[in-house]
Amino acid sequence: MAMAQFNPGQTVHTPTDMSPATPTSGGIPFEQSTKMKGHRRLFQRLQRMSSSPSLVKLSRASSYRSDGRGSMSCMSLSSPSSSGNGHSPSNSQSSQSSTDFSTAPTSVAGTPGVENADFSFNKASINILNSEMPGGFHSPIDITIPSEIRLLPSPQLGTFLEGSEMIENYFDIPNGHVEAVKPKGRENFDFWGMMPCELKFHILRYMTHAELIKASRVSKAWHETCFDGQLWQTIDAWDYYQMISSQQLKRIVRRAGPFVKTLNLRGCRQLEEEWARGFIDVCENLESVNLQGCGIQRAGLRNLFTRNTRLAHLDVQGIQAVNNSVCKVLANSCPDLEFLDVSFCNSVSAKGILKVVESCHKLRTLRAGEVGGFDEETMLSMFEVNSLQRLDLRECKSVTDEVFKALIQGKSGEIDVLTGRVIVPPRKLVHLDLSGCSSLTDRALETLVDNVPDLKFLRLYKCDLLTDALFKNLLPTIPKLEVLNVEECHLLTNATLQELAQSPCADNLKYLTISDCENLGDGGMLPVLKACSNLEGLSMDNTRIGDLTLVEAASIMKKKAWKVPRSNGLPFIGMKMEVFDCQNVTWTGVRAVLARNAEAKRPSNCQRGIISLHCFYGWQQMVNEHEKRVLGGDFTAAGRLERKWAEYMMSCEEAGLQGSGFRRRQRRRRDAFMQADLEEGGTGLTVGRRRARSGGCVVM
């Protein structure tokens, strides 16, 4: 729609002396409207003027100013480029310039009515007469109205029709009811369905497998997403295998088959019938497998090894189907094997293990507990390979002195003149477990001297033929030792502990086990506590240690400070001590440990470690409660509990004495127990039998 425009230099005057009571001939009377303010008043005038020139009610000032500044003339509600409706600008301009004002429309085409009006609100513009144009004449300029004040359709105005048509009752709507239309939101927006799959998987990776199984019940879409193989690269069924059936576990393995790299089916006995059906054939990229306690058959093991050639970690502990032929298939199919555990596999012998060791050059950990058949020939082959870092030969009765010597120093070699030992390349052993090899003596283990410089873990449980002479020569040559277990080595004395305190490994030692070494006591443990500053665990069951060891441990723990501050500022367990069945340990030593634990809190820049004590079972309940209060930061309650327990123990000792005052001491013991029970929130009831006291015989 083309609006009325002015030629350059032409001025249009609007009549100002009109009144609503005296309209001109042909004029259309107009009802007085409500006075409006701001841009709504401007829109009202512009709409009325552009729709019909016969509205004589409105009075406007002259749209042209002589001061040279542009003034607003009219608003065009159509596109600036649209002129296809046949309206000529000259028709409207000539009708208004003939007289001061027009009383009636001169033609139908020159009067833009409602029927043929082309309203384009998105392209509305304002025509401005500018007197600063070149050439000394005036020219109209169209300026687009900003979108924030543009007239928008409202529910009361109705909806616009196609093209340039509008509803006929446009002018019947009361003034001032122009409202902006709020943008409509997307209906039925599926947030989870529209989300990219990569983002879904990233979110679901924060959930455990048990939580994924529960979330899969939400809907079919969630079921498909939760069981996608990308979320099951690691399947550890140890935490939830008892909560699901064999069919569900089978479905999980099959759905995630090509993606699975780590598979832990430890204890899944419900899969015994599924192994024969080859449910694990879909897994061809496995790198770590734990089948401990599963009822898998030999055919399933062979199929598993041949399909997964990149297998690096294998745990088949306790599976009776594993034999030497299965080990041969494993050696030929998995050359990258690094970890092998065949402990308690009674069908395997040392010959089957040797095939794996010779073929798998990357093998670093071998656990062969209770495996028989070890001889000098097998050990010589393992000596030549020299790739093992962790060797577990617990309960291998076939390991004798000669067999072990062949493993460490070979059959023959150059002998050192000064020491009389065979000169061989040092072994790479870091972890050595010889528990239960009761036939080993000092002569076999002396081959470790100067041959295992990187040894950190040494376990000699039940090697009861070892003496102090072995450790006197061995301990100075293993400076990196962190764990030492000599449990049930009955021939050891305090000399071994004193040598340990003076050896280079004292600074690195963290765990020491001397349980059931009945010849060890305070004389050996006190130097160890003073020299080994990094001790975290002490097991001293059934030894001769007494209260002095507990007092010294508590004193060292008090002086020891950890400089790294903790976030919550609460104490932590710095050392664990086990003193079961130690006849020389009394409640006095236990109280010393509890008193140190319940002392005032250290400064905020230091951590505060306490001792976790495991003692006589009759006192353990109280010790656990005391430790709980200390770890929770309630030092006052912990100190009160320790003090009341000490009073009770003293009353018990006094009550045990015979002679005069025996009944009085018994009564003190009961009163002390009742008072302590009341302070701890109990009922204060007595323990044991107490004689009832009556007011006397009723008859008498």
Side-chain angles (χ1 to χ4, degrees), residues 122-252:
N122 292 331
K123 297 182 180 180
S125 61
I126 299 177
N127 194 325
I128 296 179
L129 297 179
N130 193 345
S131 61
E132 299 292 334
M133 298 298 295
F137 58 86
H138 305 281
S139 175
I141 299 177
D142 291 338
I143 301 177
T144 305
I145 296 177
S147 59
E148 58 269 12
I149 65 173
R150 197 171 294 168
L151 183 63
L152 297 177
S154 66
Q156 294 179 351
L157 292 177
T159 57
F160 291 105
L161 303 177
E162 295 292 336
S164 59
E165 296 183 357
M166 192 177 178
I167 59 176
E168 298 180 355
N169 59 346
Y170 172 78
F171 294 103
D172 296 338
I173 300 174
N175 297 329
H177 289 78
V178 180
E179 298 180 359
V181 177
K182 297 182 179 180
K184 295 183 179 180
R186 286 174 287 185
E187 298 180 357
N188 299 326
F189 178 63
D190 187 3
F191 179 79
W192 182 256
M194 298 293 293
M195 186 182 298
C197 296
E198 293 79 4
L199 187 56
K200 294 180 184 179
F201 296 148
H202 181 74
I203 296 174
L204 294 178
R205 282 192 181 98
Y206 290 94
M207 302 175 64
T208 62
H209 289 173
E211 293 173 345
L212 283 176
I213 294 174
K214 295 180 180 179
S216 64
R217 304 173 183 174
V218 175
S219 62
K220 292 183 178 179
W222 275 75
H223 186 274
E224 293 293 330
T225 306
C226 291
F227 284 107
D228 192 276
Q230 300 183 42
L231 300 175
W232 296 86
Q233 296 183 8
T234 299
I235 298 180
D236 187 359
W238 175 253
D239 297 332
Y240 55 86
Y241 77 96
Q242 295 179 349
M243 300 183 294
I244 61 178
S245 62
S246 60
Q247 295 298 328
Q248 291 176 328
L249 187 57
K250 174 184 175 181
R251 190 181 302 112
I252 292 174

Side-chain angles (χ1 to χ4, degrees), residues 407-420:
L407 174 65
I408 301 300
Q409 64 183 16
K411 187 175 181 180
S412 62
E414 185 180 357
I415 298 177
D416 190 354
V417 178
L418 298 178
T419 60

Side-chain angles (χ1 to χ4, degrees), residues 548-590:
L548 289 177
T549 300
L550 298 182
V551 174
E552 183 66 22
S555 177
I556 292 175
M557 187 58 60
K558 177 183 178 182
K559 297 177 183 178
K560 189 176 181 180
W562 289 262
K563 298 299 181 182
V564 181
R566 294 174 62 86
S567 58
N568 53 10
L570 298 177
F572 71 103
I573 297 176
M575 181 187 296
K576 293 183 178 181
M577 297 182 64
E578 296 181 358
V579 291
F580 298 113
D581 301 328
C582 296
Q583 298 180 0
N584 297 330
V585 174
T586 64
W587 69 270
T588 305
V590 175

Side-chain angles (χ1 to χ4, degrees), residues 352-366:
I353 295 177
L354 180 60
K355 295 177 182 178
V356 178
V357 174
E358 291 177 346
S359 301
C360 303
H361 301 288
K362 297 182 180 181
L363 188 64
R364 299 292 179 267
T365 302
L366 175 60

Side-chain angles (χ1 to χ4, degrees), residues 598-616:
E599 284 183 353
K601 189 178 179 181
R602 287 184 180 273
S604 57
N605 60 345
C606 297
Q607 296 185 9
R608 182 172 182 269
I610 65 172
I611 297 177
S612 179
L613 189 63
H614 297 270
C615 56
F616 178 59

Side-chain angles (χ1 to χ4, degrees), residues 448-456 458 471 473-484 503-506 508:
L448 297 175
V449 177
D450 295 326
N451 288 330
V452 284
D454 297 330
L455 191 64
K456 295 182 179 180
L458 180 60
F471 294 96
N473 299 327
L474 179 61
L475 291 176
T477 63
I478 46 177
K480 299 181 180 180
L481 188 65
E482 296 180 359
V483 180
L484 178 61
S503 64
C505 64
N508 297 324

